[in-house]
Amino acid sequence: MNYFIVGCGGVCSYFLPSFLKMLKHHKKLKKSNVFLVDGDQIEQKNYDRQMFQGGNVGKYKAEVLRDQYANDDYIQSIIAINDYITDSFTPDPRSMIIGFVDNHPARRDMLTVADRTTSKVVFAANSTIGAHAYYYQPDWVNTDLDPRVRFPEIITVETGSPVHAIG
């Protein structure tokens, strides 16, 4: 199975080491590929809550995390994709998408991608005042289990996205 981890900031930097160890010790998943997807670069302010090694300011977060864990023989491969997710993103069908994004346009795009590719999605993120985690599979579209139905602001809010801000 392929795993696409979208958003390589704080939550991902804590999640990734344990996730890779789990894959390594699970016989059926040991040959999985992990794709780290994020167009953001490390800033000095990231070091106070994100698990990056020092000296990486200006480097892509996905590449830095890949390099931190690529030699640990956890899985078949870790691939960095230095770009933001959009609704045209195309993972392999039936992949698992794990989203650590902090904006609704990216969540909406991930759901659109999941519907098109029959991929499943796990969302987890935190903010200054809260946190959330939920799961989605495409056969839930337009039901009460669809995050777009439960949280309609995913469809309507356009702020916070670096992709949509650029145009």
Side-chain angles (χ1 to χ4, degrees), residues 127-141:
S127 65
T128 306
I129 59 170
H132 70 263
Y134 48 92
Y135 170 81
Y136 173 75
Q137 57 190 41
D139 59 337
W140 293 355
V141 69

Side-chain angles (χ1 to χ4, degrees), residues 73-127:
D73 189 37
Y74 285 123
I75 55 170
Q76 185 170 330
S77 63
I78 303 173
I79 299 103
I81 300 173
N82 300 322
D83 202 357
Y84 297 107
I85 191 167
T86 66
D87 59 2
S88 62
F89 182 72
T90 308
D92 299 328
R94 291 185 293 245
S95 295
M96 174 64 78
I97 303 170
I98 303 169
F100 300 118
V101 297
D102 60 1
N103 65 84
H104 287 316
R107 293 180 187 112
R108 181 177 56 239
D109 288 345
M110 289 169 56
L111 291 164
T112 300
V113 168
D115 290 337
R116 190 180 70 248
T117 62
T118 64
S119 298
K120 295 175 173 78
V121 184
V122 174
F123 291 94
N126 61 7
S127 65

Side-chain angles (χ1 to χ4, degrees), residues 147-165:
R148 293 162 289 206
V149 173
R150 296 181 67 211
F151 311 109
E153 60 272 17
I154 290 174
I155 298 171
T156 59
V157 172
E158 294 293 336
T159 58
S161 169
V163 173
H164 294 265

Side-chain angles (χ1 to χ4, degrees), residues 36 38 59-68 80-82:
L36 302 173
D38 197 328
K59 295 181 182 176
Y60 285 100
K61 292 178 179 182
E63 286 183 358
V64 170
L65 286 177
R66 177 203 60 206
D67 294 347
Q68 278 182 220
I81 300 173
N82 300 322

